[in-house]
């Protein structure tokens, strides 16, 4: 597992243990009877205790999109706008989402994706051998739950950064091509709640500003508040 | 390597905590059984009522420990303020007990899905006669504690569960 993945898992761990750790602040309790307690108060087991409905999702994303025109080396190259020239990002990218639930119905936050292109765009002239993709979005959404399943709809706005490099012998410095693009996506999500604090989710997103731009994602979510306060 | 170990430890602890839930009908917290008599109220709450001692309580005080788990996959309201308590003395008299709640903390609160809680509540005798009566029995009516269940009288007396109204009725 990559280093980034471990950091993500650690973040999940922190969020999960935070609730219990908060109770141990070094105060010495002399009685556990209501009215005699010094360190705690009645109802520390309750969901009514104040605290953010923080969510951390870690997972993978597959983003399929039309590459921007690019040029490598000395030739002026471009990508023909055909399906065969789509650039896709797959399993390697780490996807992280950090969200905060609002009133059990709404949520807002951000996501960050980073990884290798699994399919590089084709052009005429010097071919691209590899590429990386980085993305960041602000997210706002709404979700509802029934039994152990919740569904949601969200809007994501942000941008992506693509870097492409040509084939080169080891040790040879080559010039890379870079491109950035704004993104606005509508997404649908579905989560299965393994426990009230742990969910397995996925989703589908489609760009609202470009065609041939779709995304699938899967993630494991840690939730500080049970079911984000939905149920 | 040291950093990796730390991350690994966090990962294990986090996964364990996130996966930790109250196991329905287990009447246990991480394998430790709830103390006292088990009571099913017909709703989402698995309740155990036990009796405890506490050095902070006065001679008139009796401490009742409530342990409860929510076996449903949604939150439920738990109202420990609705519990009535009486004491049956060896003289066959029924005496009311009053709850000790100087900070007015007792109120209905929500319990998350598959979660649990514990509370110890002191009930005080209103006179010294009851406090000193040997062989007395404490009974609590927990029938309105679980708001997901129909309201009913449900008396629990020092280890035994009485399903009907108590002889002589609660005061």
């Amino acid at each position: 597992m990559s280093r980034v993945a471990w950091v993500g898992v650690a973040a999940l761990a922190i969020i999960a243990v935070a609730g219990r750790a908060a109770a141990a602040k070094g105060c010495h309790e002399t009685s556990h009877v209501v009215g005699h307690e010094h360190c705690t108060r009645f109802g520390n087991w309750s969901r009514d205790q104040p605290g953010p409905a923080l969510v951390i999702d870690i997972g993978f994303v597959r983003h399929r999109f039309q590459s921007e025109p690019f040029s490598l080396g000395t030739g002026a190259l471009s990508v023909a706008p055909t399906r065969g020239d789509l650039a896709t990002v797959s399993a390697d990218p780490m996807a992280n989402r950090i969200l905060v639930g609002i009133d059990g119905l709404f949520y807002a936050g951000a996501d960050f994706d980073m990884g290798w292109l699994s399919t590089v765009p084709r052009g005429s002239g010097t071919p691209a051998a590899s590429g990386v993709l980085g993305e960041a979005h602000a997210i706002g959404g709404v979700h509802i739950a029934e039994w152990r399943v919740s569904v949601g709809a969200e809007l994501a706005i942000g941008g992506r950064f693509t870097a492409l490099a040509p084939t080169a012998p080891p040790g040879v410095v080559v010039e890379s091509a870079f491109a950035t693009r704004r993104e606005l996506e509508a997404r649908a999500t579905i989560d299965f709640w393994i426990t009230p604090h742990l969910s397995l989710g996925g989703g589908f997103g489609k760009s609202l500003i470009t065609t041939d731009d779709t995304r699938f994602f899967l993630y494991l979510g840690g939730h500080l508040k049970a079911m984000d306060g939905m149920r | 390597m040291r950093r990796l170990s730390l991350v690994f430890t966090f990962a294990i602890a986090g996964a364990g905590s996130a996966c930790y839930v109250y196991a329905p009908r287990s009447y246990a917290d991480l394998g430790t059984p709830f103390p006292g008599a088990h009571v099913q109220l017909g709703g989402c709450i698995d309740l155990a009522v036990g009796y405890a001692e506490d050095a902070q309580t006065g001679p008139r005080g009796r401490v009742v420990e409530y342990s409860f788990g929510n076996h449903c996959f949604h939150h439920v309201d738990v109202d420990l303020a609705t519990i009535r308590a009486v004491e049956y003395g060896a003289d066959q008299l029924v005496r009311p007990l009053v709850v000790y709640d100087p900070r007015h903390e007792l109120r209905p609160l929500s319990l998350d899905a598959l979660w649990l809680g514990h509370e110890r509540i002191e009930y005080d005798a209103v006179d010294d006669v009851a406090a000193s009566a040997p062989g007395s029995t404490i009974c609590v009516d927990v029938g309105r504690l679980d708001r997901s269940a129909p309201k009913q009288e449900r008396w629990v007396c020092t280890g035994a569960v009485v399903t009907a109204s108590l002889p002589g009725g609660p005061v």
Side-chain angles (χ1 to χ4, degrees), chain A residues 98-116:
Chain A
I98 301 174
L99 307 169
V100 176
I102 304 165
D103 291 338
L105 181 62
F106 302 100
Y107 61 90
D111 69 10
F112 312 92
D113 311 329
M114 178 71 82
W116 296 100

Side-chain angles (χ1 to χ4, degrees), chain A residues 180-205:
Chain A
T180 58
R181 177 137 187 129
R182 291 179 189 167
E183 293 189 317
L184 176 64
E185 283 183 6
R187 298 176 181 171
T189 62
I190 184 165
D191 289 89
F192 177 76
W193 293 81
I194 302 164
T195 77
H197 296 274
L198 190 67
S199 68
L200 185 64
F204 170 78

Side-chain angles (χ1 to χ4, degrees), chain A:
Chain A
M1 189 182 286
S2 71
R3 192 172 174 181
V4 178
W6 277 115
V7 171
V9 172
L12 265 181
I14 291 168
I15 202 172
V17 301
R20 294 212 156 194
K25 291 179 182 172
C27 177
H28 178 64
E29 189 63 273
T30 56
S31 173
H32 294 289
V33 178
V34 173
H36 296 290
E37 295 166 320
H38 295 294
C39 305
T40 56
R41 288 288 182 268
F42 169 76
N44 61 3
W45 41 266
S46 167
R47 81 197 306 253
D48 301 328
Q49 297 295 310
L54 189 62
V55 183
I56 294 181
D57 295 329
I58 56 172
F60 302 102
V61 62
R62 173 175 286 266
H63 189 180
R64 182 180 171 85
F65 60 92
Q66 178 73 51
S67 171
E68 316 304 323
F70 70 96
S71 60
L72 288 170
T74 54
L77 308 173
S78 64
V79 174
T82 63
R83 282 199 168 273
D85 295 319
L86 292 178
T88 60
V89 177
S90 64
D92 276 351
M94 187 73 187
N96 297 294
R97 291 155 56 92
I98 301 174
L99 307 169
V100 176
I102 304 165
D103 291 338
L105 181 62
F106 302 100
Y107 61 90
D111 69 10
F112 312 92
D113 311 329
M114 178 71 82
W116 296 100
L117 296 183
S118 59
T119 305
V120 293
R122 283 188 295 111
S124 57
T126 306
S130 61
V132 294
L133 173 77
E135 297 179 299
H137 305 95
I139 301 171
V142 58
H143 58 177
I144 53 171
E146 183 63 35
W147 189 61
R148 288 183 178 233
V149 176
S150 62
V151 293
E154 64 188 39
L155 207 58
I157 183 167
R160 70 170 181 250
F161 168 85
T162 313
L164 295 164
T167 307
V172 175
V173 178
V174 295
E175 188 178 339
S176 299
F178 304 96
T180 58
R181 177 137 187 129
R182 291 179 189 167
E183 293 189 317
L184 176 64
E185 283 183 6
R187 298 176 181 171
T189 62
I190 184 165
D191 289 89
F192 177 76
W193 293 81
I194 302 164
T195 77
H197 296 274
L198 190 67
S199 68
L200 185 64
F204 170 78
K206 182 159 180 37
S207 174
L208 298 176
I209 52 179
T210 58
T211 56
D212 289 326
D213 190 332
T214 56
R215 156 196 320 269
F216 291 94
F217 48 98
L218 285 172
Y219 50 80
L220 189 67
H223 305 259
L224 195 58
K225 217 174 187 78
M227 297 195 78
D228 299 337
M230 283 185 286
R231 277 170 65 83

Side-chain angles (χ1 to χ4, degrees), chain A residues 3 6-7 9-10 12-14 16-17 20 30-38 40-49 147-148 193-198 222 225-227 230-231, chain B residues 3-4 7-8 10-11 13-14 17-21 54 56-57 63 68 73-75 78 80 100-103 105-107 109-122:
Chain A
R3 192 172 174 181
W6 277 115
V7 171
V9 172
L12 265 181
I14 291 168
V17 301
R20 294 212 156 194
T30 56
S31 173
H32 294 289
V33 178
V34 173
H36 296 290
E37 295 166 320
H38 295 294
T40 56
R41 288 288 182 268
F42 169 76
N44 61 3
W45 41 266
S46 167
R47 81 197 306 253
D48 301 328
Q49 297 295 310
W147 189 61
R148 288 183 178 233
W193 293 81
I194 302 164
T195 77
H197 296 274
L198 190 67
K225 217 174 187 78
M227 297 195 78
M230 283 185 286
R231 277 170 65 83
Chain B
R3 184 183 293 175
L4 192 63
V7 170
F8 191 69
F10 261 115
S17 293
C19 293
Y20 175 67
V21 293
D54 192 279
Q56 299 290 317
T57 59
V63 177
F68 37 90
F73 211 86
H74 57 78
H75 77 272
V78 175
L80 292 167
Y100 179 77
D101 184 20
R103 293 192 290 248
E105 296 173 88
L106 294 182
R107 64 196 184 281
L109 289 173
S110 293
L111 181 64
D112 270 326
L114 302 183
W115 202 240
L116 53 88
H118 304 273
E119 290 292 351
R120 288 183 175 186
I121 299 175
E122 176 185 345

